Amino acid sequence: MAVRSRNHVTVTGRPDGPVVMLAHGFGCDQNMWRLVVPILERDFTVVLFDHVGAGRSDLSSWSKERYSTLGGYAEDVLEICRELALGPVTFVGHSVSAMMGVLAAAQEPEAFAGLVLLAPSPCFIDDPASGYRGGFSAEDIDELLEALDANYLGWSGAMAPVIMGNPERPELGEELTNSFCRTDPDIARVFARVTFLSDNRPDLAKVTVPALVAQCSSDAIAPPEVGAFVQSQIPGSLLVTLNATGHCPQLAAPEETAEAIASFAGARR
């Protein structure tokens, strides 16, 4: 029960259905999936959880040592899988959680029926030497992190609408802003560095389970070139470009997002 309470694990949906595990991104919690869950739970067992430091997770379980790399989060994912013992899961990782899934699947592929990498980025920083475009220069990321350190609440209010996109629907940006603001600033500062400074490009080739890369048609955080790169590096993976715009399609276009997940996860049976 320690793992379940640590990550506030919840299980819903059809007990006899294939298992889908939904993992949220930076500054969010499992509530971000609330519009997708009612669609998925008709046919799937749906597992939700909060990363330690987010939502209703056990904040006393957070430590800078464990969570200063994505490896600590990936180990949490594996521990949840072992604790629930529901068999191989289709892991759906949004944004930074996509790379947690990559690391976990590379370590224990038998735990996974497949991966859905939703708006993923293995590295946010451009690498001109290799021709890789992550969407940000090193200077951009330095400035972003400095602004976060100086005024986390102000940074949240400025960045959340950019991340969300969909300016014609300001309520979406407001929701993400509020989600960011509920996160402990000290934990957010560490998680931001893990999110924006990690480089998991070499890990993509280690994935041996079926994978779907689902990118948005327009995304200020993970441009289309990033999704194409991820797909090119994971052997046998598939790429789908959603009509959804912004970086959080589970809120902006929940039906389309759920359909992409269900089509892929249902085929893993």
Side-chain angles (χ1 to χ4, degrees):
M1 292 300 293
V3 172
R4 295 186 186 224
S5 59
R6 180 191 68 192
N7 289 96
H8 187 55
V9 178
T10 58
V11 181
T12 185
R14 286 184 51 176
D16 60 341
V19 184
V20 172
M21 176 185 283
L22 306 178
H24 65 84
F26 170 82
C28 304
D29 58 31
Q30 61 185 263
N31 188 56
M32 294 291 285
W33 296 105
R34 70 184 184 281
L35 302 180
V36 169
V37 170
I39 304 171
L40 292 178
E41 64 184 1
R42 302 170 193 158
D43 300 303
F44 299 91
T45 297
V46 181
V47 177
L48 297 140
F49 68 98
D50 294 331
H51 292 308
V52 173
R56 296 173 63 186
S57 66
D58 179 3
L59 295 184
S60 69
S61 297
W62 188 86
S63 74
K64 187 174 182 179
E65 292 160 323
R66 181 177 177 94
Y67 297 108
S68 61
T69 71
L70 290 181
Y73 293 97
E75 184 56 38
D76 283 0
V77 169
L78 292 172
E79 289 178 2
I80 294 169
C81 290
R82 296 179 199 126
E83 172 72 20
L84 297 181
L86 293 173
V89 307
T90 296
F91 178 88
V92 183
H94 173 236
S95 193
V96 65
S97 284
M99 293 306 111
M100 298 174 194
V102 163
L103 294 175
Q107 185 175 333
E108 291 187 22
E110 65 277 7
F112 299 91
L115 298 176
V116 177
L117 309 178
L118 184 62
S121 178
C123 180
F124 285 96
I125 299 175
D126 298 336
D127 182 4
S130 69
Y132 173 80
R133 178 171 181 255
F136 300 86
S137 68
E139 292 75 16
D140 290 336
I141 296 298
D142 286 343
E143 290 176 4
L144 181 153
L145 295 174
E146 287 174 4
L148 187 152
D149 287 343
N151 182 356
Y152 176 65
L153 294 181
W155 178 90
S156 298
M159 280 298 297
V162 175
I163 293 170
M164 179 59 71
N166 295 275
E168 74 286 358
R169 299 166 66 188
E171 71 277 6
L172 296 179
E174 290 171 8
E175 176 170 344
L176 190 59
T177 298
N178 292 335
S179 180
F180 281 6
C181 292
R182 288 194 299 270
T183 304
D184 179 277
D186 291 332
I187 293 175
R189 290 183 182 101
V190 175
F191 196 13
R193 280 166 170 73
V194 174
T195 298
F196 292 108
L197 297 179
S198 293
D199 184 353
N200 295 103
R201 288 177 291 168
D203 298 302
L204 298 173
K206 301 174 186 176
V207 174
T208 58
V209 303
L212 173 69
V213 180
Q215 65 180 18
C216 294
S217 59
S218 175
D219 184 344
I221 303 301
E225 297 94 326
V226 175
F229 176 84
V230 173
Q231 188 274 325
S232 73
Q233 298 299 301
I234 298 179
S237 62
L238 304 173
L239 173 66
V240 62
T241 299
L242 305 174
N243 291 322
T245 59
H247 192 59
C248 300
Q250 68 271 56
L251 284 181
E255 295 87 0
E256 184 185 26
T257 303
E259 174 57 31
I261 295 168
S263 296
F264 178 79
R268 301 306 101 197
R269 303 187 78 169

